[in-house]
Amino acid sequence: MSEKPARPVLITGASGALGRQVTAALGARGWDLVLTDILDFPDKVPASARFVRADLGDGVAVLRLAEGCGTILHFGGISTEHPFETVLGPNIRGIYHIYEAARREKARVLFASSNHAIGFHERGETLDADCQLLPDTYYGLSKAYGEMMGRMYWFKHGVENVNVRIGSSFPEPKNARMLSTWLAYSDLVELCVRATLAEKTGTCVIWGASANTRTFWRSDARAALGWLPRESSDSFAAQVGGIVSDDPVEERYQGGGYCSFDYTRKEPAPRDIF
Ligand code: 15L
């Protein structure tokens, strides 16, 4: 019988691609789950779970959902680039509601951050988790903000948080860039398990990628959580290694196409940013 958390786990964004994977896996382990999303849950709700449709912009609803929960796996919000006004409610106001609920319940937060919080780092760089935040979009900026909010709530209120900078979590890598950024669903699920069951996490950052040889990233807090990714993009190299764009901005930076989206610079940015 696998270990279960002492208190229920709230999963936001449960109806999204990653929320569904995590819900199915944790439901199969019999974990007591509270699921929420702004959209209906498309799958069969696991026997140990209940689903409540809610908007992250509704602070009272979020407080109610989190009642009694010990962990919040926060996958909710906008998950790709959109205009600032669209990102603002779900991702900026929404993360505040999540942290207020976590503070009240003395719950831990796993925040589904993104590589787009650091997207304007060059692909030739190998980054540590404490690298400079260089968001590539309003979406990436909201993820950087969410990470910073986690730090603030840890130092001010003792709210523990694990900030997972997810690379590209899909069934398989789709192009050459994803040979560096791919995160297998099974590795994501195991990370959620470890982050929930770890005795303590403080505030930490994890690179959300499988054990890919071509990685852009190194050194994070995984050892403290006891998380070790088991999958790797390496076996897909022959299949997708040749899939690159003809856009120099997309190919230059770790964030790929998010960097070239709505890009108005005429000359390439200098390498030295100071
Ligand atoms: C993300 O943050 C997105 O949610 C996902 O759809 C992918 O675009 C991924 O980043 C990526 O960078 O591949």
Side-chain angles (χ1 to χ4, degrees):
M1 191 66 178
S2 60
E3 201 183 339
K4 287 187 195 171
R7 289 193 282 160
V9 173
L10 171 61
I11 304 181
T12 72
S15 306
L18 302 189
R20 287 170 70 187
Q21 292 294 326
V22 172
T23 295
L26 302 186
R29 290 172 187 234
W31 282 24
D32 194 353
L33 304 174
V34 181
L35 312 174
T36 188
D37 202 291
I38 199 163
L39 301 174
D40 285 336
F41 189 66
D43 307 321
K44 188 173 182 306
V45 175
S48 58
R50 64 187 171 90
F51 175 80
V52 182
R53 200 169 144 166
D55 184 343
L56 291 170
D58 181 346
V60 174
V62 175
L63 284 176
R64 286 209 182 107
L65 282 165
E67 266 171 25
C69 291
T71 307
I72 304 176
L73 303 178
H74 182 44
F75 287 91
I78 302 284
S79 64
T80 55
E81 177 61 336
H82 282 80
F84 178 75
E85 292 296 338
T86 309
V87 173
L88 182 61
N91 289 23
I92 302 292
R93 210 166 277 127
I95 188 87
Y96 164 67
H97 294 149
I98 293 295
Y99 270 100
E100 275 302 290
R103 173 184 169 182
R104 195 169 82 163
E105 300 300 326
K106 301 196 186 325
R108 178 181 293 168
V109 176
L110 176 143
F111 175 49
S113 183
S114 168
N115 73 91
H116 299 292
I118 54 86
F120 268 122
H121 281 281
E122 309 245 351
R123 294 204 191 173
E125 293 175 76
T126 304
L127 305 178
D128 294 325
D130 63 356
C131 68
Q132 181 159 219
L133 291 165
L134 291 181
D136 56 26
T137 40
Y138 295 118
Y139 161 67
L141 195 55
S142 76
K143 294 298 186 183
Y145 178 81
E147 290 190 19
M148 292 300 97
M149 183 166 281
R151 291 198 187 174
M152 195 273 261
Y153 271 76
W154 161 252
F155 280 100
K156 188 161 276 197
H157 305 299
V159 176
E160 290 193 309
N161 51 88
V162 177
N163 299 277
V164 184
R165 279 186 203 141
I166 298 177
S168 308
S169 198
F170 297 104
E172 293 184 355
K174 300 175 186 174
N175 54 35
R177 171 180 167 271
M178 290 191 194
L179 293 175
S180 302
T181 58
W182 187 57
L183 173 65
Y185 289 152
S186 56
D187 285 333
L188 171 68
V189 166
E190 186 58 19
L191 176 52
C192 290
V193 170
R194 292 291 122 224
T196 303
L197 297 177
E199 194 190 323
K200 53 186 179 184
T201 68
T203 179
C204 65
V205 173
I206 302 286
W207 294 114
S210 290
N212 311 321
T213 304
R214 293 162 184 76
T215 186
F216 299 145
W217 308 315
R218 67 180 170 213
S219 68
D220 61 13
R222 65 191 55 195
L225 301 185
W227 178 65
L228 209 58
R230 307 223 168 266
E231 299 295 325
S232 163
S233 66
D234 295 4
S235 57
F236 296 93
Q239 202 178 310
V240 302
I243 306 179
V244 292
S245 76
D246 55 7
D247 179 340
V249 175
E250 177 171 347
E251 296 304 318
R252 176 176 174 183
Y253 297 113
Q254 297 190 3
Y258 283 60
C259 297
S260 52
F261 179 78
D262 195 28
Y263 187 87
T264 63
R265 255 181 180 278
K266 298 282 177 272
E267 299 297 326
R271 279 179 188 272
D272 184 358
I273 54 177
F274 300 107

